[in-house]
Amino acid sequence: MATGESFRSLRFAFRISHSYISVIIRETLSAICKQLVPIFIPTPTKEALTKKAEEFWERWDFPNCIGALDGKHVRIFAPAKSGSLYFNYKEYFSIIMLALVDANCKFIALDVGSYGKEGDSSIFNKSAFGKKVMHFQNFFPADQKLPKSNKVLPHVIIGDEAFRLDKHLMKPFTKLAATADKSKAIFNYRLSRARRVSENAFGLLSQVFRVFYTPIAVKPEVCDDLILAACCLHNLLREAYLERKGVPYYEYDSKEENSNVFRNLTGAGGYQNVEGFHVRDEFMRFFSQEGIVEWQNQQVSKV
């Protein structure tokens, strides 16, 4: 995971046959997932989500937000007899990783294993986590007043254009709408600024686990465990980083380009929800009135 080397190259380093290395890796990844997922990626409670919403407001100036949602393609070699199921729009084979990330770049929830040909919105809608969000199965904390305001709005997840707008899922306005209305441009800026944590999380993940820099040569089910294990260990490192007040256990290379490691997903977002329009408009007005920050107008004018 740390180097991304092939089994055959590891064979020479450890004097173990590559076939036995594959067994060791498969069993180790399974054990890591079994033991660490309940500890480092537990099912979030309402109390935990309320705390994460507070962190988003403190760190990223976006209230009532419990997480940033994003999906990435993890490059793999073509699985046997899979046809074009894993073949994505970028013309390589991949498994999709859909993640919800908190204000500290830690993974809150994951959906791993979808075919590379699928898009963000369809994966999210059919996942167990997505069903909880879309069908309001007692997942979100109670609606809460926005800071410095009497407006009461629901807790939300923020995503990009690939997702469908919903009462609990915010996405940016279209570029055309944002160009015509400064308030919408400000909303897009504030949402994009907060949603940056998901991109940061994927970047940090690939910096530590170099296996994501090359196509992963294992079966899809083993690759699923590898991704989950990497995310658990990532959360462990992030918690250690926060406990040490910003002193990392791992030296990240800030000059290294990570844009080609994980690819964004494609998708049109699906049909919109009427309540979603209302909630988004309320957030838009809040960001231009009570929730204004001094630098936002300057940032929007640069676009």
Side-chain angles (χ1 to χ4, degrees):
M1 289 171 66
T3 63
E5 290 190 46
S6 67
F7 293 167
R8 292 187 182 276
S9 65
L10 291 173
R11 176 185 64 178
F12 293 105
F14 295 98
R15 296 294 189 268
I16 302 175
S17 69
H18 69 274
S19 59
Y20 192 57
I21 287 176
S22 68
V23 174
I24 293 172
I25 289 176
R26 183 175 66 250
E27 293 181 353
T28 302
L29 290 174
S30 178
I32 290 174
C33 292
K34 183 178 180 181
Q35 297 297 324
L36 296 190
V37 168
I39 298 173
F40 292 104
I41 313 180
T43 302
T45 62
K46 289 185 179 181
E47 293 75 16
L49 293 177
T50 300
K51 183 178 179 181
K52 293 187 182 300
E54 293 171 357
E55 291 173 348
F56 257 101
W57 172 244
E58 292 171 2
R59 293 177 64 89
W60 302 105
D61 300 298
F62 202 109
N64 288 19
C65 175
I66 65 169
L69 186 66
D70 201 3
K72 298 293 181 183
H73 288 280
V74 178
R75 190 187 296 261
I76 61 172
F77 282 100
K81 300 179 181 179
S82 63
S84 61
L85 287 175
Y86 292 93
F87 196 69
N88 64 40
Y89 75 107
K90 288 289 186 179
E91 299 186 352
Y92 62 83
F93 293 90
S94 65
I95 283 176
I96 292 178
M97 168 189 178
L98 192 66
L100 184 66
V101 181
D102 71 7
N104 294 308
C105 300
K106 290 165 55 182
F107 295 105
I108 304 172
L110 292 166
D111 183 85
V112 180
S114 295
Y115 300 130
K117 69 175 186 177
E118 299 185 71
D120 271 7
S121 186
S122 61
I123 297 168
F124 179 67
N125 291 338
K126 74 178 185 181
S127 68
F129 172 68
K131 290 176 182 176
K132 286 183 180 179
V133 173
M134 293 304 175
H135 298 288
F136 318 117
Q137 295 179 3
N138 205 29
F139 177 78
F140 288 89
D143 296 359
Q144 188 172 326
K145 281 186 179 181
L146 298 181
K148 308 175 186 177
S149 172
N150 291 322
K151 294 178 181 176
V152 178
L153 289 180
H155 285 82
V156 298
I157 291 168
I158 53 177
D160 59 17
E161 298 87 349
F163 298 99
R164 52 164 283 198
L165 182 67
D166 192 85
K167 177 183 178 182
H168 291 287
L169 179 55
M170 296 291 100
K171 61 184 286 187
F173 289 98
T174 63
K175 187 174 182 180
L176 182 63
T179 303
D181 189 333
K182 187 175 181 180
S183 295
K184 293 179 180 179
I186 290 172
F187 173 86
N188 282 5
Y189 164 69
R190 296 285 288 271
L191 184 142
S192 298
R193 182 174 181 271
R195 202 181 66 82
R196 187 191 310 166
V197 295
S198 62
E199 300 292 344
N200 292 347
F202 287 120
L204 293 170
L205 183 71
S206 63
Q207 280 269 305
V208 178
F209 302 106
R210 316 294 289 190
V211 67
F212 294 115
Y213 275 78
T214 58
I216 301 174
V218 295
K219 292 181 179 179
E221 56 270 22
V222 179
C223 188
D224 294 349
D225 284 346
L226 186 151
I227 295 169
L228 284 172
C231 291
C232 287
L233 296 174
H234 166 85
N235 280 5
L236 184 153
L237 291 173
R238 290 301 298 171
E239 288 186 9
Y241 172 84
L242 296 171
E243 288 173 0
R244 296 182 67 182
K245 298 181 180 179
V247 180
Y249 275 89
Y250 180 87
E251 292 298 327
Y252 298 99
D253 186 355
S254 60
K255 297 181 180 179
E256 189 163 38
E257 179 61 50
N258 295 304
S259 59
N260 293 323
V261 180
F262 293 112
R263 292 285 188 173
N264 290 326
L265 306 191
T266 183
Y271 65 90
Q272 315 297 325
N273 182 287
V274 175
E275 286 184 289
F277 284 104
H278 171 71
V279 173
R280 185 170 66 175
D281 288 343
E282 288 297 324
F283 273 112
M284 178 190 70
R285 283 188 279 271
F286 171 77
F287 290 143
S288 296
Q289 298 171 10
E290 304 97 323
I292 191 172
V293 292
E294 58 185 14
W295 65 84
Q296 66 185 26
N297 290 323
Q298 182 180 358
Q299 292 295 327
V300 170
S301 64
K302 291 180 181 179
V303 179

